[in-house]
Amino acid sequence: MTPTPETTEVLVVGSGIAGCAAALAAARNGADVCLLTKAERPDDASTDWAQGGISTTRGDPESLKEDIIAASAGTADPDAVDVLVEDADDAVTDVLIDTLGIEFDSDGDGDFDYTREAAHSENRILHVDAATGSHILRPFLNYVDDHDRIEVRQDTAALELLTHEGRVHGVVSDEAEEGHPIYAGATILATGGIGALYTRSTNPDDATGDGIAMAALAGADVADLEYVQFHPTAYEGSGARSASKRSGEAAEQDTFLLSEALRGEGAVLRNGDGERFMDDYHSDAELAPRDVVARAVETEREATGEVVLDVSPLAFEDEFPGIAEKCRDRGIEGEEIPVAPCEHFLCGGIDVDDRGRTSLEALYAVGECARTGVHGANRLASTSLLEGLVWGLRAGDDAADRDADPAVVEAPDLRNSDPALPERFAAEKFTRLQRTMDESLGLERDPDEISRASAVLRRLKGEVDAYIRTRTARDLYELRNASVVALLIARAASENTESKGCHYVVEDEHPTRA
Ligand code: SIN
């Protein structure tokens, strides 16, 4: 007997803030939702790692809009920014405060303790300590998990999109060795970013660009992929984290973010000679846009050996207990924390409209895997959780409104057969991919190096494709996805010769002090 194909009205792939918001909105609108996530724990999603906070407008949408556009070097799409700022406060109040009951830090006088981060002209960011993401995500996951219209399936990866004549009909998941089709009236990708493409990142290891790769392979438009944002202040560590998961070796995760909120509250950057230097690079000094600070930090590290974040102007232990604890755990003593730029966020992604609709029928993308136009060439701090929330809700609403019954179409023929995958194949190829991205598609890009990197990445993708035809192993698909996205980033970087925001072409003049 042929089993009844599995169907759902709305399928969400990914369990960060954007995926949870999409699932919530679709369910509130009466749709039955299946939420697939390869995560096993909340901290497998980047949202759980978000520190600084979530921006509000504090009643002045125009001012937030101006800051977003200025931080993007004038490249953000003003219409997309309007959508964000118009929906911001209602979305935060409705979902985070009224529905989930999140208790953002207060000032003790009955108002929120709004904080400030780089390139914001005002204190307008809601936060919980500097661990805002986990304080949002954990209750959000519990809420969607308890919702009677939402089924959450953890430890379940989507391998391919089911497509037929330009329309997406769901995904093939890894719940069976030959792949398990799940048909959906609408499919919403919320798979997060690409941190695992670099040796050091502030993202979890699972950030392998899955949604972007699956959508691009199915023919969806992607945009702005050259704009990979590096956060200026991460504790660099040894990079053990990225190497560890895929090699199976136990290693401490030692790279971690030092939130921009530290600089917002007064921390300063000093070079190896003990000098403050940011005044020489930008009139907003430590609060300049993130791309400017990241390149200045790298320039000063090269010139003077190191850069530290001096937290002595703050009551560090009291105001940022979570970060202070991470420092203690790694044996960092004193008030000067060594920092380096580190991959943090992809500003581009799957091209979407104001409801998260992609160029493929019935396919949506939200959160970091999507390119809404809000960030342009460089993202303003504390707008990523907000963008995920706003577009997640919009996409969920739209997907639930579609008059679309799930249709059963032919599923791709995935195989799980010999030859066996050589042991450590995925781990070794991942290391090669990360080194290539670090060297040629980092903070600064040299066109000749990008060409060489593209050749390496093409060869690597060819090797992976040979195995993908015969194996459905999740780590192989993650490697396939990472190599597809790496190649797309390399192509976008090679086609864009203008330095703007996060894309800095080194044939241009090196950043120097003013
Ligand atoms: C941070 O806390 O510095 C990161 C905030 C963000 O990326 O928006």
Side-chain angles (χ1 to χ4, degrees), residues 449-503:
E449 276 187 28
I450 297 174
S451 306
R452 279 194 290 276
S454 301
V456 172
L457 293 168
R458 268 195 299 276
R459 273 199 302 280
L460 194 143
K461 179 164 179 302
E463 291 172 62
V464 179
D465 282 348
Y467 281 109
I468 280 280
R469 290 190 199 102
T470 57
R471 310 295 304 171
T472 53
R474 188 184 299 180
D475 59 355
L476 194 58
Y477 271 84
E478 288 180 325
L479 180 62
R480 189 276 312 259
N481 295 338
S483 58
V484 167
V485 178
L487 271 168
L488 289 169
I489 291 172
R491 186 196 299 163
S494 70
E495 287 172 355
N496 185 352
T497 53
E498 186 187 8
S499 289
K500 261 274 149 94
C502 307
H503 178 58

Side-chain angles (χ1 to χ4, degrees), residues 51-53 117 229 231 257-261 290 344 379-384:
Q51 293 186 356
E117 292 182 51
Q229 183 173 71
H231 197 290
L257 181 65
L258 290 146
S259 174
E260 227 159 45
R290 203 171 267 181
H344 184 58
R379 178 173 69 78
L380 178 70
S382 285
T383 54
S384 57

Side-chain angles (χ1 to χ4, degrees), residues 124-164:
R124 53 162 86 96
I125 297 165
L126 290 175
H127 65 104
V128 186
D129 178 16
T132 312
S134 63
H135 282 91
I136 291 175
L137 188 62
R138 291 165 191 229
F140 213 163
L141 280 172
N142 289 338
Y143 191 90
V144 295
D145 207 18
D146 287 348
H147 199 293
D148 57 9
R149 284 197 173 275
I150 305 174
E151 183 204 357
V152 177
R153 287 194 202 162
Q154 291 188 311
D155 191 15
T156 305
L159 302 179
E160 305 280 1
L161 295 179
L162 285 160
T163 55
H164 185 65

Side-chain angles (χ1 to χ4, degrees), residues 233-366:
T233 57
Y235 175 68
E236 192 178 25
S238 64
R241 174 186 71 91
S242 293
S244 66
K245 177 180 164 188
R246 289 180 179 81
S247 65
E249 291 153 14
E252 282 296 304
Q253 123 74 11
D254 54 4
T255 300
F256 70 96
L257 181 65
L258 290 146
S259 174
E260 227 159 45
L262 290 158
R263 277 174 284 132
E265 296 294 322
V268 296
L269 288 162
R270 296 189 187 283
N271 65 19
D273 300 328
E275 292 170 355
R276 269 187 82 180
F277 55 85
M278 273 313 304
D279 269 334
D280 297 334
Y281 287 88
H282 195 281
S283 54
D284 290 335
E286 276 85 358
L287 297 185
R290 203 171 267 181
D291 58 310
V292 176
V293 185
R295 284 192 294 275
V297 167
E298 198 49 34
T299 303
E300 294 294 322
R301 272 165 49 92
E302 281 170 20
T304 69
E306 74 164 352
V307 167
V308 296
L309 187 66
D310 175 358
V311 295
S312 62
L314 317 175
F316 180 51
E317 294 274 347
D318 290 344
E319 288 181 47
F320 293 95
I323 298 180
E325 188 183 336
K326 284 198 170 88
C327 290
R328 275 196 304 280
D329 288 351
R330 287 157 183 84
I332 305 165
E333 287 173 4
E335 294 181 310
E336 297 199 335
I337 307 160
V339 291
C342 178
E343 194 283 338
H344 184 58
F345 187 85
L346 180 63
C347 300
I350 307 161
D351 205 16
V352 297
D353 69 6
D354 63 358
R355 284 181 269 174
R357 294 179 297 196
T358 71
S359 60
L360 298 181
E361 180 71 17
L363 181 69
Y364 297 74
V366 293

Side-chain angles (χ1 to χ4, degrees), residues 431-450:
T431 302
R432 173 136 63 97
L433 184 144
Q434 289 173 336
R435 288 207 183 118
T436 306
M437 296 301 283
D438 290 347
E439 282 163 17
S440 307
L441 289 144
L443 209 50
E444 297 183 348
R445 284 102 186 253
D446 173 330
D448 292 337
E449 276 187 28
I450 297 174

